[in-house]
Amino acid sequence: MAWGGNPRLHILTTDPSVAKVSGGRKKTVSFSSMPSEKKVSSAADCLAFMQGGCELKKVRPNSRIYSRFYTLDSELACLRWEPSKKDGDRARLDISAIREVRTGKSTETFLHNGPSDHLAEEAAFSIIHGDEYQSLDLVALSADVANIWVTGLRYLLSHPGAIGGGDGGVGEGSIGSKMRWNWLAAEFALVDEDGHEIVSEDTAVATICKLCPGIKEAKVRLRFKEIQRSKEKLTSHVTLEEFQEAYCELCTRPDVYFLLVQLSKDRECLDAQDLRLFLETEQGLSLATTEGCLELFCRFEPSAAGRERGLLGLDGFTRYLQSAECQLLDPEHQNVCQDMKMPLSHYFISASYRSYLLDDQVHGRADLGGLIRALQVGCRCLELGVTDGPEGEPLLGVDHVVNKYAFLTSQYPLLLYLCQRCSPSQQRTLAQHLKKVFGPKLYTPESLPVSLGGRATILPSPEQLKGKVLLVGKKLPPEVEGSEGEVSEEDEEIGTPMTLDPPESPEELVNFTKRSLTRVRPSSVRLDSSNPNPQGYWKGGVQLVALNQQTPGAMLDLTRGRFMQNGGCGYVLRPAVMREEVSYFSAQSQGCVPGVPPQTLRVKVISAHSLPKPQGSGAKGEVIDPYVVLELHGVPADCTEQRTRTAAQNQDAPLFDETFEFQVNMPELALLRFVVLDDDYIGDDFIGQYTIAFECLQPGYRNVPLLGLAGDTLPHASLFVHIAITNRRGGGKAQRRGLSVRRGVRRGREYVTLRNTGIKVLDDTFRPASGPLREATDLREDALCATVAFKEQCGLPPTATLKQCIQSLATRLQSPDGSPSATLTLKEGYPCLEPLGNLTDATRKLLNGYDTMISANKQLIENADGVHERIAQVQKEGMVFHEDLPRLVEKENLKGRKQSKAVESFAWNITVQKGQCDLLRSAKMDALDTLRQLALACEASGLILTSDGHYTPHGLSSRRGSSHGNGSS
């Protein structure tokens, strides 16, 4: 009962030759997500599927790939396959011989088999068996089928009593399934007024819709109708058993179920230790505590038994993953989180252009609602048109509206760009009118001890100008008193210091905008309200990119994504290389910031949920064929897009399980845009989108709320993804592309170099940094390569988590009596694994790899501060010459190209040293995190023996870092 029945399968024959080989058996098996099909919701479903069998591709070390039909026997005791040259008794693998089941392409066979490269990583898995730890390497036809085999096999390994149908068999159900079944019975009892364990169909449908927000009522009602027809019932009433069955079929998310059993030692529920390890290694919460985990159980676990016992079942885990705690957007960025005390020129500023026009730019109707909406979404620069009016009064008419809404969303300064066509006399009238309307909010030179005019070298900060309205634009000089007084739009400029002509080159523009505000707008001669791509201007440092806020689409999505990263206040700090007095930056080239390698962003699109039909489509029927496009926007070297396969006939909750990798040279300028589209459409194919700044991404398993075309939230519609980033805690950490042990040797290592400026005193000052720069690279790379080497020795890819490594190691360290043959001890504060008995050569080699990893991380932790200080000191000494650089260039008689090269090389050297200091500091934090994760994983795998059950890694008290959500303290 508690495990549900055998899942219905959608059998497809794709290759006639396959049917011939297997004696007519249809081999290609996949789950259908049609409402009439039953989804996997328990280990029993997985085992039943395996007993029915399916085709798997077997990858051999000799580079051959075979298609075989695999089944689990009725006693749950062995795997069998056909066809085979071996006889029936030999074409088998006993479950008792299996040591470990690994996901992905992690074994030697996969890593060195060229023909297997085209096989999907998510559909691959390996069965490690025998005393020599041989591998049976398999690839399913889809990721969900692979998950079924992995889940079923791991269940059998952790529940040996299930084999042969003995005690502890599948029929009894796991702890998690019992919790779920009892919770559903309790919910059913609340609506069962007569206590007869039967309710009306309407009541059952309403109860499921309440327990599973976002599910469509029609879908639930259809399932009950199918149950009624299958049982030939004369009544539409629903029994408790039917209620439980329907809920488990309709409300189980397979993706979450497979993740749960992977984390929970196959008990189908998480205890505090399981959740803590998940929060640390995947969600990036460095200081998660047992108490915090128990608090999460109280908030999200629906069953009373789970809350009392401190366990999180499938439904509680699903609720947690759908909650605000697991949103893709880092909650730190939901409020103002950046330094607001820097000059205005250091910020990108959200700007609107003619947002009061509803239609085109020439004949469009004016609507004050457009200005209100612009202010409500955080715009801090509005464009207002002013013309001469009758009786000497200029026509403005919107100032009262602007005054009312100016600071409701953001308290930071509002820039009003006046496109005025007024005569000098009416300009004076306009000035008095604006003073009267805005009162003390209006910025005037005497209102603050700072100035925006003249030749000031430093602009005031948003913090200084909080609550102020700044008028921006040109006024006519007094000598044109008698003229008509018109100022053309092309003549208008920001009323802030501009001592140079704006440079047409992006690099020169970046330097120019370090002190001056610059604004761009759509062409004034176009008829429609289309928008330019703001990224093209942000990469050059332009602070104010004015867009039509009334025109939905990708350009406005990018703008909203950019300004979401600082609490939506309308101001976002530009990248450091655009703010620092001395910096080298080239937006046009790869490796935009010298000395800082690009980050790797790995995005796994797992699934989508509650997808609506495209609003303007004429799609056939109710079923959609969705796919997801991932767009990376940023500097030219970063701009790219990738897409998932189309999930044909998958309705509103497709599974994708596809991983994509991006190289990000300039993270501070990068934006990631998810777009969900429909392949089966007539007309509009847009379903939803979500755009987020790279800096706001949270690693780990995350929920992506989808927005409509106008930026409105689509109820319950979301993507479920996994994020890993090279230099960010959590997500298992994405390693740099192409990293391997063989490339890690020092003689082949690429070191960042300093450039000669041609000025002796400067070159002599910078020269002492060469040594520590090499040391910094070696410390970082040695620790990274040692970690990758340990993963490879465990038979795992660089993308594996340290938790997976320790789990693999623990399997090999298990003695015949089940006790560990090694234990975690502290040596000088570092976690070491001490052997407790005789080990095989292979296992001892693994422990040596572990020791090498600990040693490399120890070297990094203990030497990073000293190397960092030496580099920073040289940088400080070099900056002393910054103000004197023109004189030094002149003294060396450098002119033309040599002069430019000297200045450029000086900026390069300063930027390299700063970048290396930042990387070294970050690497030390990563090393400390590595120690913590290793300790937690050893504890979870039974490799730790301490009196109090707690372990504090070396240097933990000095770690930097914070955690988010209530799962940490």
Side-chain angles (χ1 to χ4, degrees):
M1 268 290 292
W3 289 93
N6 189 18
R8 301 176 185 176
L9 303 178
H10 188 196
I11 312 295
L12 302 172
T13 301
T14 57
D15 186 349
S17 64
V18 171
K20 182 178 179 180
V21 168
S22 59
R25 191 193 304 270
K26 297 177 179 177
K27 287 213 180 160
T28 304
V29 184
S30 66
F31 277 90
S32 166
S33 296
M34 297 297 289
S36 61
E37 302 296 339
K38 186 170 183 176
K39 295 180 181 177
V40 169
S41 61
S42 68
D45 289 344
C46 295
L47 296 176
F49 175 91
M50 294 161 66
Q51 288 177 318
C54 74
E55 177 187 311
L56 300 172
K57 294 185 183 299
K58 180 179 180 180
V59 182
R60 296 289 300 275
N62 62 4
S63 299
R64 297 288 299 275
I65 299 175
Y66 304 88
S67 290
R68 295 288 183 263
F69 193 84
Y70 285 80
T71 56
L72 174 67
D73 76 337
S74 59
E75 296 296 311
L76 310 180
C78 70
L79 297 181
R80 296 184 183 274
W81 57 90
E82 59 178 49
S84 174
K85 294 180 180 179
K86 301 176 181 178
D87 58 45
D89 288 336
R90 295 181 61 204
R92 57 178 284 169
L93 175 62
D94 290 340
I95 299 298
S96 60
I98 298 177
R99 301 286 183 262
E100 180 187 352
V101 182
R102 298 178 187 167
T103 58
K105 300 178 180 179
S106 59
T107 64
E108 286 290 315
T109 298
F110 275 126
L111 294 175
H112 302 107
N113 187 314
S116 71
D117 291 345
H118 69 281
L119 300 173
E121 173 85 20
E122 290 78 10
F125 64 101
S126 299
I127 301 173
I128 311 301
H129 61 93
D131 294 336
E132 299 301 319
Y133 288 82
Q134 300 166 280
S135 67
L136 173 60
D137 302 292
L138 304 168
V139 180
L141 294 177
S142 64
D144 51 341
V145 172
N147 281 327
I148 290 170
W149 282 91
V150 170
T151 300
L153 289 170
R154 285 178 172 172
Y155 177 83
L156 292 176
L157 293 184
S158 59
H159 297 79
I163 299 174
D167 292 340
V170 182
E172 294 185 4
S174 66
I175 298 173
S177 68
K178 289 177 181 176
M179 284 166 45
R180 188 183 211 196
W181 220 249
N182 292 335
W183 165 63
L184 289 173
E187 292 291 338
F188 187 87
L190 292 177
V191 296
D192 179 13
E193 297 177 355
D194 299 327
H196 296 153
E197 293 193 350
I198 188 170
V199 298
S200 69
E201 181 183 298
D202 288 344
T203 299
V205 170
T207 303
I208 287 182
C209 289
K210 182 192 77 169
L211 297 177
C212 186
I215 193 170
K216 294 177 181 177
E217 179 183 327
K219 192 174 184 178
V220 182
R221 197 171 296 279
L222 175 61
R223 186 68 194 116
F224 281 127
K225 295 295 185 188
E226 291 175 341
I227 293 174
Q228 180 183 339
R229 284 195 299 270
S230 67
K231 296 184 177 181
E232 298 182 348
K233 293 172 57 176
L234 299 178
T235 173
S236 62
H237 283 73
V238 176
T239 66
L240 171 60
E241 179 183 348
E242 291 165 349
F243 174 80
Q244 291 169 318
E245 178 186 349
Y247 178 89
C248 290
E249 288 183 21
L250 296 173
C251 302
T252 297
R253 283 181 44 176
D255 49 349
V256 177
Y257 172 73
F258 292 131
L259 175 59
L260 177 79
V261 295
Q262 176 187 335
L263 299 170
S264 67
K265 310 178 187 75
D266 305 291
R267 293 166 305 168
E268 299 187 311
C269 63
L270 304 175
D271 60 21
Q273 186 187 63
D274 297 328
L275 183 60
R276 183 184 174 193
L277 188 59
F278 172 72
L279 295 176
E280 289 260 7
T281 59
E282 288 293 355
Q283 304 302 85
L285 301 182
S286 62
L287 299 179
T289 64
T290 301
E291 294 75 17
C293 293
L294 293 175
E295 195 273 334
L296 284 178
F297 293 165
C298 292
R299 288 172 53 201
F300 295 106
E301 174 54 39
S303 72
R307 293 193 298 271
E308 291 169 3
R309 298 176 63 178
L311 298 173
L312 192 67
L314 177 56
D315 299 285
F317 190 47
T318 302
R319 292 180 179 188
Y320 167 70
L321 291 175
Q322 292 174 330
S323 71
E325 313 261 337
C326 293
Q327 293 293 303
L328 182 63
L329 175 69
D330 189 330
E332 179 183 354
H333 293 273
Q334 293 178 347
N335 301 302
V336 175
C337 58
Q338 297 180 338
D339 184 355
M340 302 304 288
K341 296 180 180 179
M342 295 190 180
L344 278 180
S345 57
H346 285 3
Y347 299 84
F348 294 124
I349 304 173
S350 179
S352 166
Y353 180 74
R354 293 186 176 179
S355 293
Y356 50 85
L357 295 179
L358 292 180
D359 304 307
D360 63 63
Q361 297 291 297
V362 177
H363 307 293
R365 295 172 291 119
D367 177 28
L368 295 182
L371 286 176
I372 294 173
R373 285 189 292 275
L375 289 168
Q376 288 174 333
V377 298
C379 281
R380 295 287 83 196
C381 180
L382 297 181
E383 184 184 69
L384 301 179
V386 190
T387 59
D388 275 354
E391 301 178 0
E393 291 288 331
L395 295 177
L396 179 58
V398 297
D399 46 356
H400 289 284
V401 173
V402 173
N403 184 48
K404 180 179 178 180
Y405 291 92
F407 300 105
L408 294 184
T409 297
S410 172
Q411 287 295 306
Y412 292 102
L414 174 66
L415 283 65
L416 292 185
Y417 199 98
L418 297 180
C419 301
Q420 54 102 359
R421 307 286 190 271
C422 296
S423 61
S425 61
Q426 292 209 12
Q427 285 186 35
R428 286 190 288 273
T429 304
L430 173 63
Q432 296 304 316
H433 181 72
L434 292 172
K435 286 182 180 180
K436 179 179 178 182
V437 171
F438 293 111
K441 297 178 186 174
L442 188 66
Y443 168 82
T444 56
E446 64 273 10
S447 65
L448 286 176
V450 292
S451 175
L452 284 174
R455 293 182 175 270
T457 57
I458 299 179
L459 297 176
S461 70
E463 188 66 33
Q464 287 175 296
L465 296 171
K466 224 173 183 179
K468 291 293 182 180
V469 175
L470 280 63
L471 299 182
V472 182
K474 276 194 173 180
K475 65 179 182 180
L476 290 176
E479 59 268 21
V480 295
E481 181 72 28
S483 71
E484 294 181 0
E486 181 172 315
V487 179
S488 70
E489 188 169 11
E490 286 69 23
D491 288 337
E492 293 163 355
E493 295 290 353
I494 283 287
T496 50
M498 283 194 170
T499 57
L500 302 169
D501 292 330
E504 274 60 319
S505 156
E507 290 73 30
E508 292 176 339
L509 183 58
V510 167
N511 286 323
F512 176 78
T513 57
K514 288 179 181 179
R515 296 180 181 273
S516 303
L517 286 178
T518 304
R519 172 182 177 263
V520 297
R521 52 171 173 75
S523 170
S524 59
V525 299
R526 68 206 157 107
L527 296 180
D528 62 10
S529 295
S530 58
N531 283 316
N533 188 339
Q535 281 290 125
Y537 300 99
W538 288 330
K539 73 179 183 184
V542 173
Q543 296 94 340
L544 292 142
V545 183
L547 297 185
N548 296 280
Q549 299 291 321
Q550 76 275 29
T551 306
M555 303 304 104
L556 201 56
D557 294 341
L558 295 178
T559 298
R560 289 173 177 168
R562 167 71 63 216
F563 289 101
M564 190 167 54
Q565 72 184 91
N566 194 27
C569 74
Y571 286 81
V572 169
L573 267 178
R574 301 192 306 166
V577 291
M578 293 182 174
R579 306 192 312 263
E580 292 164 347
E581 188 69 20
V582 178
S583 62
Y584 181 93
F585 173 66
S586 175
Q588 305 301 323
S589 63
Q590 208 131 4
C592 301
V593 181
V596 181
Q599 294 196 38
T600 297
L601 166 65
R602 184 175 291 110
V603 183
K604 182 177 184 180
V605 181
I606 301 171
S607 57
H609 301 276
S610 300
L611 296 181
K613 288 179 61 178
Q615 290 183 353
S617 79
K620 302 180 288 293
E622 291 298 317
V623 177
I624 57 176
D625 293 342
Y627 64 97
V628 183
V629 178
L630 289 80
E631 303 172 352
L632 187 66
H633 298 263
V635 295
D638 292 342
C639 292
T640 186
E641 73 173 45
Q642 301 187 56
R643 59 157 287 177
T644 68
R645 61 178 173 82
T646 297
Q649 298 292 300
N650 248 318
Q651 213 179 29
D652 60 350
L655 287 172
F656 295 103
D657 267 324
E658 293 185 66
T659 301
F660 305 93
E661 195 172 276
F662 302 91
Q663 295 294 104
V664 186
N665 291 271
M666 189 68 178
E668 291 173 286
L669 278 181
L671 292 162
L672 181 63
R673 183 170 183 253
F674 298 87
V675 191
V676 185
L677 303 171
D678 182 16
D679 240 0
D680 178 30
Y681 72 96
I682 301 173
D684 185 14
D685 63 347
F686 177 84
I687 294 176
Q689 68 85 28
Y690 187 77
T691 307
I692 183 170
F694 183 90
E695 299 290 274
C696 298
L697 290 171
Q698 288 205 97
Y701 289 91
R702 299 295 169 185
N703 191 49
V704 184
L706 292 176
L707 307 179
L709 197 61
D712 51 312
T713 300
L714 298 175
H716 305 294
S718 64
L719 296 174
F720 186 47
V721 302
H722 181 266
I723 302 290
I725 302 173
T726 304
N727 292 343
R728 206 162 299 178
R729 180 187 301 118
K733 292 190 73 67
Q735 305 294 352
R736 293 200 310 273
R737 182 182 294 167
L739 182 68
S740 70
V741 181
R742 287 170 292 281
R743 287 190 58 192
V745 292
R746 290 189 178 186
R747 63 177 176 271
R749 188 167 289 170
E750 293 182 2
Y751 294 95
V752 64
T753 57
L754 298 178
R755 292 180 177 178
N756 286 326
T757 64
I759 301 174
K760 185 177 186 304
V761 65
L762 287 182
D763 293 336
D764 289 345
T765 300
F766 286 131
R767 192 170 293 114
S770 297
L773 284 174
R774 289 180 66 90
E775 291 180 51
T777 300
D778 285 337
L779 287 172
R780 290 189 292 106
E781 294 292 312
D782 287 350
L784 183 58
C785 290
T787 302
V788 171
F790 176 60
K791 292 178 180 180
E792 290 186 357
Q793 286 176 304
C794 291
L796 296 171
T799 55
T801 65
L802 288 171
K803 172 195 170 186
Q804 292 170 315
C805 293
I806 296 301
Q807 286 175 332
S808 177
L809 180 61
T811 301
R812 303 191 180 206
L813 290 175
Q814 196 170 42
S815 300
D817 62 357
S819 63
S821 57
T823 185
L824 190 75
T825 61
L826 291 181
K827 286 187 178 179
E828 301 177 356
Y830 291 90
C832 298
L833 284 172
E834 284 293 319
L836 297 178
N838 294 326
L839 301 175
T840 65
D841 290 343
T843 303
R844 190 168 294 280
K845 185 179 179 181
L846 266 178
L847 287 182
N848 290 338
Y850 178 91
D851 291 342
T852 301
M853 176 176 64
I854 294 298
S855 176
N857 279 279
K858 176 183 178 182
Q859 289 295 317
L860 172 59
I861 291 169
E862 296 184 353
N863 292 289
D865 290 345
V867 175
H868 179 284
E869 185 177 342
R870 289 159 61 196
I871 298 173
Q873 180 61 33
V874 174
Q875 182 195 0
K876 181 180 178 181
E877 293 172 0
M879 281 298 295
V880 170
F881 295 97
H882 168 56
E883 297 293 339
D884 209 26
L885 193 56
R887 186 187 66 81
L888 293 174
V889 169
E890 183 179 355
K891 182 180 178 181
E892 294 288 340
N893 198 29
L894 300 178
K895 297 178 181 179
R897 177 58 187 152
K898 289 185 178 180
Q899 176 185 359
S900 300
K901 190 163 183 60
V903 174
E904 183 182 282
S905 297
F906 177 80
W908 170 280
N909 291 346
I910 293 293
T911 305
V912 162
Q913 293 172 85
K914 182 181 184 304
Q916 288 292 302
C917 284
D918 291 344
L919 284 174
L920 192 56
R921 187 186 302 113
S922 176
K924 180 182 176 181
M925 296 302 106
D926 286 345
L928 290 168
D929 265 346
T930 294
L931 300 185
R932 172 181 291 277
Q933 290 185 25
L934 288 170
L936 284 170
C938 287
E939 182 181 358
S941 300
L943 297 177
I944 183 168
L945 298 174
T946 60
S947 57
D948 59 1
H950 290 87
Y951 167 78
T952 302
H954 176 89
L956 181 62
S957 60
S958 63
R959 306 187 58 261
R960 176 179 63 94
S962 60
S963 53
H964 306 298
N966 291 305
S968 57
S969 65

